[in-house]
């Protein structure tokens, strides 16, 4: 069963615009992570936010976490064509195993 | 370069054949994971290991076996391949619980 549900499934924007992706999950978590996957490649870790954190920044990325609503969002500001990829949220609800449950992903297309 | 290496990158098997996928990491990570990625399904956890000599079942373990005899290697075996095991397989490792994963580049397996 999938823990994370991502919304939207697909997003198309112009270069320079902001992109927002949302993730909802079902159970209490230790942390939530976001990954990027370029076509035909492995996933790359972007950012991790712990359950006691509400917001985190990394470069042009901003992640928020609302544990009361069991939801997170990833904001990419001033998007570039190179940001075109699939983005996945993943939740760690385990007891000392580090197992991640991945959502189905959001496919982002940034048009030059 | 440091990271996670998966071999082979591509493989075509006939139904009933067996094979082993190798995952090797050189980052001294304790935790290792095998996922499969299917269209529209996101990533699903097959098996994982929390340290040398340990393995445990994930979400979709049936038809697969694993071994972690050395800390740096995590092997995924298919004893009798079935068309339903056609997928892209990803290995990942992490230093500890609460840290992000490093992924390999994947193995694309087709069972005919």
């Amino acid at each position: 069963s999938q823990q994370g549900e991502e919304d939207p499934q697909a997003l198309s924007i112009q270069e320079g615009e902001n992109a927002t992706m949302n993730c909802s999950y079902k159970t209490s978590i230790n942390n939530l992570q976001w990954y990027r996957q370029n076509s035909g490649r492995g996933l790359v870790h972007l950012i991790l936010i712990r359950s006691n954190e509400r917001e985190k920044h990394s470069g042009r990325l901003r992640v928020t976490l609302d544990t009361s609503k069991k939801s997170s969002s990833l904001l990419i500001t001033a998007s570039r064509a190179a940001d075109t990829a699939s983005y996945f949220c993943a939740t760690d609800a385990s007891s000392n195993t580090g197992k991640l449950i991945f959502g189905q992903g959001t496919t982002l297309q940034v048009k030059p | 370069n440091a990271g996670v290496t998966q071999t082979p990158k591509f493989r075509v098997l006939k139904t009933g054949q067996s094979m082993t996928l190798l995952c090797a990491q050189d980052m001294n990570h304790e935790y290792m994971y095998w996922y499969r990625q299917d269209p529209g399904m996101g990533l699903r956890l097959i098996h994982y290991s929390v340290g040398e000599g340990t393995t445990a079942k994930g979400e979709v373990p049936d038809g697969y076996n694993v071994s972690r005899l050395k800390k740096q290697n995590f092997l995924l075996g298919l004893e009798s391949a079935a068309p339903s095991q056609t997928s892209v397989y990803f290995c990942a490792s992490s230093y500890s619980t609460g840290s992000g994963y490093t992924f390999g580049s994947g193995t694309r397996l087709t069972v005919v």
Side-chain angles (χ1 to χ4, degrees):
Chain A
S1 61
Q2 296 297 122
Q3 161 82 305
E5 297 277 341
E6 297 190 56
D7 172 60
Q9 290 189 334
L11 181 60
S12 181
I13 59 174
Q14 294 294 135
E15 210 166 24
E17 294 180 338
N18 295 342
T20 299
M21 289 158 260
N22 302 297
C23 171
S24 60
Y25 56 92
K26 299 174 184 175
T27 67
S28 297
I29 59 172
N30 302 313
N31 64 72
L32 185 144
Q33 304 179 29
W34 286 90
Y35 289 80
R36 183 187 75 235
Q37 183 180 33
N38 291 92
S39 181
R41 308 291 293 273
L43 282 75
V44 174
H45 180 254
L46 295 176
I47 197 164
L48 180 153
I49 186 164
R50 303 189 191 285
S51 60
N52 61 353
E53 297 175 312
R54 292 297 168 259
E55 188 170 313
K56 209 160 182 180
H57 297 254
S58 177
R60 292 184 296 112
L61 306 180
R62 172 179 169 252
V63 169
T64 62
L65 179 65
D66 186 335
T67 54
S68 67
K69 295 182 179 178
K70 291 187 169 59
S71 67
S72 174
S73 66
L74 170 67
L75 169 67
I76 305 174
T77 60
S79 63
R80 305 165 182 170
D83 294 329
T84 294
S86 293
Y87 293 81
F88 294 88
C89 70
T91 52
D92 178 358
S94 70
S95 298
N96 297 318
T97 65
K99 293 187 303 181
L100 291 180
I101 306 297
F102 284 81
Q104 295 180 357
T106 293
T107 299
L108 172 65
Q109 181 185 30
V110 181
K111 299 176 184 177
Chain B
N1 293 333
V4 177
T5 303
Q6 290 185 234
T7 53
K9 296 192 184 307
F10 302 94
R11 185 73 186 270
V12 179
L13 282 181
K14 294 182 179 179
T15 298
Q17 286 185 321
S18 63
M19 78 164 293
T20 300
L21 283 68
L22 171 63
C23 177
Q25 54 93 4
D26 58 3
M27 298 170 287
N28 201 35
H29 284 177
E30 284 292 335
Y31 300 82
M32 297 187 76
Y33 310 87
W34 275 108
Y35 287 84
R36 59 177 289 174
Q37 184 177 32
D38 302 292
M41 299 290 289
L43 281 80
R44 292 181 291 169
L45 181 64
I46 305 171
H47 286 280
Y48 63 98
S49 168
V50 299
E52 180 179 315
T54 75
T55 63
K57 294 180 180 180
E59 187 183 0
V60 288
D62 293 344
Y64 305 95
N65 57 75
V66 287
S67 64
R68 183 118 182 253
L69 299 179
K70 293 183 179 181
K71 187 176 183 179
Q72 63 267 36
N73 296 336
F74 195 28
L75 279 63
L76 178 70
L78 285 73
E79 293 180 341
S80 179
S84 61
Q85 293 177 304
T86 293
S87 188
V88 181
Y89 292 84
F90 286 101
C91 176
S93 69
S94 66
Y95 179 72
S96 67
T97 61
S99 62
Y101 285 7
T102 300
F103 276 87
S105 58
T107 295
R108 187 173 296 274
L109 175 67
T110 302
V111 183
V112 297

